[in-house]
Amino acid sequence: MKLENKAVIVTGAASGMGREIALLFAKEGAKVMVSDLNLEGANATVERITAAGGTAQAVKTNVAVEEDIQQLVDATVKAFGTVDILVNNAGIMDNFEPAGDITDEQWERVFAVNTTSVMRATRKVLPIFLEKESGVIVNVASAGGLYGARAGAAYTASKHAVIGFTKNTGFMYAQKGIRCNAIAPGGVETNIGASMTNINPFGASRQQLGMAINPRLGSAEEIAKVALFLASDDSSFVNGTVITADAGWTAY
């Protein structure tokens, strides 16, 4: 097993990519703290893990709230003794708004969930990682963090920021036994679209140019396999970088 006895946090693990990451990591021997704002869904993920003989617990977390991040990490240490791997997966979409149509409220909401939560969770686990001189962080970014024609301005900027933060963190702690990498998924079949409430017609029409060259949608299971690679010793020489998983979408 690639993650035997590793204590793992996965945010946004009630559904989609987070759920599949939690399931796969548990299958590979990890003890998983399943974190999500949707506690019912998080409990369902835990039930699937435990039914298969794995170890998991659920905790309700609003990643946009600092206190919740603190409680998440503290609960993991209490349950499993430590944290070995942090997967910052939780995220929301914008409504394809271009810069001229962004409200402060929407901008701050997207950044709070997609970017600030990544910083806060990383900041919280780093003392644990530094003490034992080991630890792995996997951030779920997006093809929208690499290119400009995949979402609205707020989401695009938030995911670019995650990638910059990933590279900086990987570099800063490279000599401390800590690795930090990101995945940039392309279009994946998840329910993230449920976070879109009022799609901007102009922004959506412009995004169609980028969307039109997408070879295919991926599955959450495919992204989970990339996350497993980055979380395990298979990627021991991979640090401070981004793995794009998009069927060749960004190769055009």
Side-chain angles (χ1 to χ4, degrees), residues 23-218:
L23 293 173
L24 180 59
F25 281 25
K27 185 178 179 181
E28 290 291 339
K31 297 171 285 188
V32 184
M33 185 60 73
V34 177
S35 163
D36 206 287
L37 184 60
N38 173 9
L39 184 58
E40 183 179 352
N43 282 326
T45 300
V46 169
E47 288 172 9
R48 288 183 59 179
I49 290 171
T50 55
T55 301
Q57 292 186 25
V59 61
K60 183 176 182 178
T61 311
N62 180 351
V63 295
V65 176
E66 162 70 359
E67 183 181 355
D68 281 23
I69 295 287
Q70 295 283 330
Q71 291 174 352
L72 167 61
V73 176
D74 290 344
T76 306
V77 173
K78 183 177 180 180
F80 304 140
T82 189
V83 181
D84 297 299
I85 300 164
L86 168 65
V87 181
N88 287 307
N89 166 76
I92 58 173
M93 278 293 292
D94 58 16
N95 291 312
F96 292 136
E97 298 96 338
D101 295 335
I102 298 172
T103 64
D104 283 1
E105 180 184 13
Q106 176 74 334
W107 176 271
E108 290 163 6
R109 175 174 172 264
V110 170
F111 264 81
V113 175
N114 290 359
T115 310
T116 306
S117 71
V118 174
M119 177 278 290
R120 286 174 170 166
T122 299
R123 182 175 64 190
K124 177 66 173 175
V125 300
L126 275 170
I128 301 169
F129 289 179
L130 287 167
E131 183 178 354
K132 59 185 180 180
E133 296 188 335
S134 69
V136 179
I137 301 163
V138 180
N139 296 325
V140 178
S142 169
L146 298 167
Y147 291 85
R150 302 293 185 269
Y155 181 89
T156 300
S158 74
K159 291 299 188 177
H160 272 73
V162 168
I163 287 174
F165 182 79
T166 298
K167 291 180 177 181
N168 180 267
T169 302
F171 171 79
M172 288 289 193
Y173 297 98
Q175 295 176 322
K176 302 293 186 179
I178 298 167
R179 296 188 298 111
C180 180
N181 293 292
I183 308 169
V188 179
E189 295 180 73
T190 71
N191 66 346
I192 193 170
S195 64
M196 303 176 74
T197 55
N198 187 21
I199 294 175
N200 184 282
F202 171 71
S205 68
R206 291 295 294 153
Q207 291 306 314
Q208 288 307 310
L209 296 170
M211 300 295 183
I213 59 172
N214 184 11
R216 70 173 177 87
L217 291 177

Side-chain angles (χ1 to χ4, degrees), residues 219-235:
S219 69
E221 291 89 346
E222 288 176 301
I223 303 304
K225 292 174 184 176
V226 180
L228 175 61
F229 167 70
L230 289 176
S232 73
D233 288 340
D234 287 349
S235 62

